[in-house]
Amino acid sequence: MVADERQSIYRFRGAAPSNVQRFVAEFSGARRSLGVNYRSGSPVVQAFATFAANMQGSPGGSWTAQRGSVGAIRQIVAPTVPAEAAAIRDHIEQARANGIPYSEQVILARSHLTLARITGALEQLGVPLLYLGDLFEREEIRDLLALISIDAEPGGIGLVRVAQLPEYGVIKADALAVIKWAETNHVRILDALRRLSEIPGLTPQGSAGLERLAQQLDGFGPGTSPWTLLTTWLFERSAYLTPRLTANDAKAQQQLVAIYQLLKVCGEMAADGDSTRKHMLARVRRIEALNDDRMYRAVASEASDLNGVRVLTVHGSKGLEFKAVHLPALATRYMPANRQGVRCPPPPSLPHLAIRPTDHEAEEECLFFVALSRARDFLFLSRSERYSASQTASASKFLSPITALAPAARRNDTALPLRPPRSLAPPGVRSLYQERELSLYIQCPQRYQFEALDGLRAIRDDSPYVRFHRCVFRTIGWLETQRAAGTPSDHPAALAQLAQEWAARGPTGHGFEAYYRASAETMITSMVDVIAAETGSYDQGEWIVDVGGKQIAITPDRVVIATDGTVHVQRIRTGRKTKSDPANRIYALLRRGAAARYPGRPVVIEAYYLATREAVPIPPNKDDKLLEEYTDAIADIERGAFAPAPEDARRCPNCQCYFICGFVQGVS
């Protein structure tokens, strides 16, 4: 049996060093160590041997480098990711000048997230890579997904992106005019493109470009599969591939590989019998929401002979070797990675599969040993001092044993090539804004542009949760109206009203309808009891709140004025209580509005949780700072700042504008 305890990186599969340690006793064997390394030059061998001597889980190891003192080891530290990427680019070119082609070099990292961050910057610097990153976030793939989405998702929103491709040169206003006309006349976008002469206000350039697109999409309809649409459009009708074929550079090559990968996805779906465009787009959204795109990141085997730098996780590199190895992100929290909670504990019958904290630490050491020992000639180590705007990153503790062999050199900051700026005229100065539109802007400025300014909203089917939520809120409003009119409702009447709302707006036919309906009935029953016990009055309607010289309109969920004059302003929550909810800026706005509307009265701002009947007071907490978020948003809107910058990128796949957005995670 041949084994190396220092390379035990699959403990969760049962491949623990203890298996090797028990071998001698269980099989009456003898243990012998290999003392010669035939792969690497002595600088690299010395590096991983020095690290091995300090490993806690499987220490020790001494080797003679059979190849002698060939190669070198280098280390750099940079202030930012772009500077680190520039240093890696220089090391790649240095190795190439030493006779090592791109195809015999590799970039290794602990996670795909780190690889995406580094390779996104390297691609902008023109480095040829055999790595796609997040396939569905790539610009050329977004172009094709937007094409697929025309008429496959409600509203034909993909036309906004496709029509502005250089081949058509349509301005956004013309594309929006087609979408608006189609919505008004209740026709599909593909049908609207065939009736351009009926659409008023199109510019001559826009009409010509849209006519060209209409000709290329002629014959396609609701039943056209993604495979048929893309292959026909790419290879027979459009010139989309032409500039990428003629450029023949690293960036174009990467784009062609990505397009080929997408076509493979479409072909696989067609072979499985699922050939609808709507299903494919829903699948992409689901894959991205679950961060389950790893199988699409690796370059197809058909492209493996391309002369590009290989990109792998350390796990994926085990058993392989390369003449030059580049190890980026050797910083705290990145290498070693922080230990995660146990999501799926092993069954009691297999206790040895449990990963304890010491096991995690030992496995991280083994991962670094594997990464170091992949190199034959050159080993380039690098890290940035900052991988996010909010946190600095110190050097990985794994670097300490080998820093004497390769002292860190400083790399100055390097700016990446700038993308063409998005030019959008400021929408003008207003005195009144809705709270919900400002919250949308804070969530993502570009989504605000698409929905609030371009009118691309309400074109995706509401999720079952949103429809359930809407039914509950509308029924609560009806209950309060009945109570204010002097005719409070009992449980049967309230549930009958909920049934009406449910029939009109609820998630009928959904797989979890019974669960949602039962939850809604419980909440409404709870509210009937709460309203019956209330002896005060209600204040319903919109408030106008002055914040920093601007007016913000907001309609509180509930305002109950008790008999003693105390005003209870409630925000109704249908979900569970969270630690982050009290820090929501909306409570500061409600407090400011209540103080102006009810001067001199005691005011209580509350979050009311329907599921538990719990009213949680929300005390003041940096209200001035929270209100600044609104005034800053207004200032940015009025100066026309609508770059994509989602507050939480995990929400992006659920955005109706996902396929036309230009945001690239980990790069922008």
Side-chain angles (χ1 to χ4, degrees), residues 42 105 129 140 305 333 349 395 442 478 507 514 573:
S42 59
Q105 301 189 51
L129 305 169
E140 64 278 5
D305 61 340
R333 298 187 303 278
S349 59
I442 294 168
W478 179 83
R573 309 299 286 152

Side-chain angles (χ1 to χ4, degrees), residues 39-40 44 72-75 88 91-92 95 100-102 104-109 309-310 312 314 317 320-328 330 368-382:
R39 170 185 293 166
S40 309
V44 174
I73 174 174
R74 301 282 186 270
Q75 181 185 174
I88 295 172
H91 284 159
I92 289 172
I100 302 176
Y102 293 133
E104 294 189 38
Q105 301 189 51
V106 70
I107 298 170
L108 302 179
V309 177
R310 274 49 181 167
L312 299 168
V314 179
S317 72
L320 304 178
E321 60 181 54
F322 301 88
K323 288 189 174 181
V325 171
H326 308 268
L327 298 181
L330 298 180
F368 191 57
F369 179 87
V370 168
L372 294 175
S373 58
R374 298 309 94 195
R376 285 178 53 81
D377 296 342
F378 292 95
L379 181 60
F380 297 110
L381 314 173
S382 65

Side-chain angles (χ1 to χ4, degrees), residues 135-157:
L135 177 69
F136 303 115
E137 292 282 357
R138 296 183 61 88
E139 292 294 315
E140 64 278 5
I141 300 304
R142 282 294 180 82
D143 291 341
L144 301 183
L145 291 174
L147 178 69
I148 293 172
S149 74
I150 297 177
D151 277 357
E153 291 192 328
I157 191 173

Side-chain angles (χ1 to χ4, degrees), residues 465 571 573-584 587 607 609 612 614 616 618:
Y465 177 79
R571 183 173 182 234
R573 309 299 286 152
T574 55
R576 63 181 180 178
K577 184 167 56 176
T578 64
K579 293 181 180 179
S580 61
D581 190 48
N584 193 311
Y587 294 112
Y609 295 91
T612 60
E614 186 179 6
V616 179
I618 308 295

Side-chain angles (χ1 to χ4, degrees), residues 173-317:
D174 286 335
L176 293 174
V178 174
I179 292 174
K180 184 65 176 178
W181 187 88
E183 180 184 358
T184 302
N185 291 274
H186 306 290
V187 300
R188 303 176 70 87
I189 296 296
L190 293 179
D191 294 329
L193 289 174
R194 301 183 185 106
R195 299 166 60 180
L196 292 173
S197 60
E198 302 176 39
I199 302 177
L202 297 179
T203 66
Q205 180 183 355
S207 294
L210 289 166
E211 179 65 33
R212 191 176 309 115
L213 177 61
Q215 293 173 359
Q216 294 178 359
L217 299 181
D218 184 47
F220 298 145
T224 304
S225 70
W227 170 262
T228 300
L229 176 63
L230 289 185
T231 53
T232 305
W233 184 77
L234 284 170
F235 301 132
E236 299 179 19
R237 299 185 179 181
S238 82
Y240 186 80
L241 294 178
T242 302
R244 292 159 178 81
L245 292 168
T246 55
N248 196 30
D249 57 16
K251 182 177 180 180
Q253 185 181 76
Q254 193 84 339
Q255 291 175 342
L256 291 171
V257 170
I259 293 170
Y260 175 76
Q261 195 90 330
L262 180 65
L263 291 176
K264 285 191 67 175
V265 174
C266 295
E268 291 168 0
M269 287 190 63
D272 290 340
D274 188 356
S275 59
T276 67
R277 288 180 285 142
K278 182 177 181 179
H279 286 176
M280 178 186 176
L281 297 173
R283 178 182 176 185
V284 170
R285 290 181 183 275
R286 186 166 57 250
I287 288 169
E288 291 294 284
L290 297 174
N291 194 26
D292 193 28
D293 67 311
R294 286 173 293 178
M295 64 182 295
Y296 304 107
R297 292 176 182 263
V299 173
S301 58
E302 293 89 339
S304 60
D305 61 340
L306 295 176
N307 187 23
V309 177
R310 274 49 181 167
V311 181
L312 299 168
T313 62
V314 179
H315 280 96
S317 72

